[in-house]
Amino acid sequence: MKKKILFVVTSHDKKGNTGEDTGYYLGEVSHPWEVLHKAGYEIDFVSPKGGTPPVDGFDLKDPVNKEFWENTEYKNKIDHSLQPSQVNPADYSTIFYAGGHGAMWDFADNTELAGIASKIYENGGIVAGVCHGPAGLVNIKLNNGKYLVDGKKINAFTNEEEAEVKLTDVVPFLLENKLKERGAKFEKSGLWQNHVVADQRVITGQNPQSAKSVGEAILKELKK
């Protein structure tokens, strides 16, 4: 019996005070989901508030997005996402934080999610994230008192990408800077390049273009 994989999606639906909608980025859920679902893993969804999370990047011309959105079982699962209090970390081999700008507002300070991730990791599991998803990694602490990302190669949405989408002054903090403050060895490629790094069971990807590769890197680590 393969242990399940836990996908974390944001409950936050506005980009600061801009009035612009946000949420989890659909392709950053669907592309890793496709890789891991096809490999026979069961996936559950959790969000800070539970229930139906807001969705962004809604593009059904992407066939993988369409496949996910039309999969009755999984559409039902994500629309009834668990609350952190309903999650037993022992059930999961992996926790994956999907991006979307909303994650910048409700991932970092969620102590329940950080506690779940810490337990999964201390149990020998994988912690992963893509794009703004690694906002969920910035405050995860291990039993030794160190930050999870301290001393590890980490990758996420870059300062340059944030500037490119003109949200540098809107997001509550710059993800690249915060990860570096926590001791991460931050790696990056140019704008919108696929970049994924795996270091000691922590797997991170830079942007939406990296989402499938993060799924593949998780699968490779699970097979070890």
Side-chain angles (χ1 to χ4, degrees), residues 17-18 162-163 166-172 174:
N17 51 15
T18 63
E162 207 63 83
K166 298 184 171 52
L167 290 169
T168 302
D169 299 325
V170 173
V171 289
L174 286 172

Side-chain angles (χ1 to χ4, degrees), residues 5-87:
I5 294 171
L6 186 65
F7 276 32
V8 189
V9 291
T10 180
S11 299
H12 189 86
D13 66 355
K14 286 283 180 281
K15 293 176 184 171
N17 51 15
T18 63
E20 286 179 41
D21 291 337
T22 186
Y24 70 87
Y25 201 83
L26 182 56
E28 294 173 25
V29 168
S30 69
H31 286 258
W33 166 81
E34 185 203 27
V35 171
L36 297 163
H37 174 61
K38 280 191 174 159
Y41 287 88
E42 186 185 341
I43 293 162
D44 287 343
F45 296 92
V46 63
S47 62
K49 292 181 182 169
T52 306
V55 61
D56 198 6
F58 190 75
D59 172 16
L60 294 188
K61 292 197 283 292
D62 174 333
V64 179
N65 282 354
K66 189 171 160 61
E67 183 189 347
F68 175 80
W69 204 250
E70 292 176 356
N71 182 305
T72 319
E73 179 194 355
Y74 275 96
K75 177 74 166 63
N76 186 53
K77 271 190 167 192
I78 202 165
D79 284 348
H80 297 86
S81 66
L82 301 167
Q83 293 176 351
S85 60
Q86 296 173 287
V87 171

Side-chain angles (χ1 to χ4, degrees), residues 121-141:
Y121 190 78
E122 302 275 13
N123 284 341
I126 297 163
V127 176
V130 70
C131 198
H132 289 97
L137 276 54
V138 300
N139 289 322
I140 297 172
K141 279 194 167 171

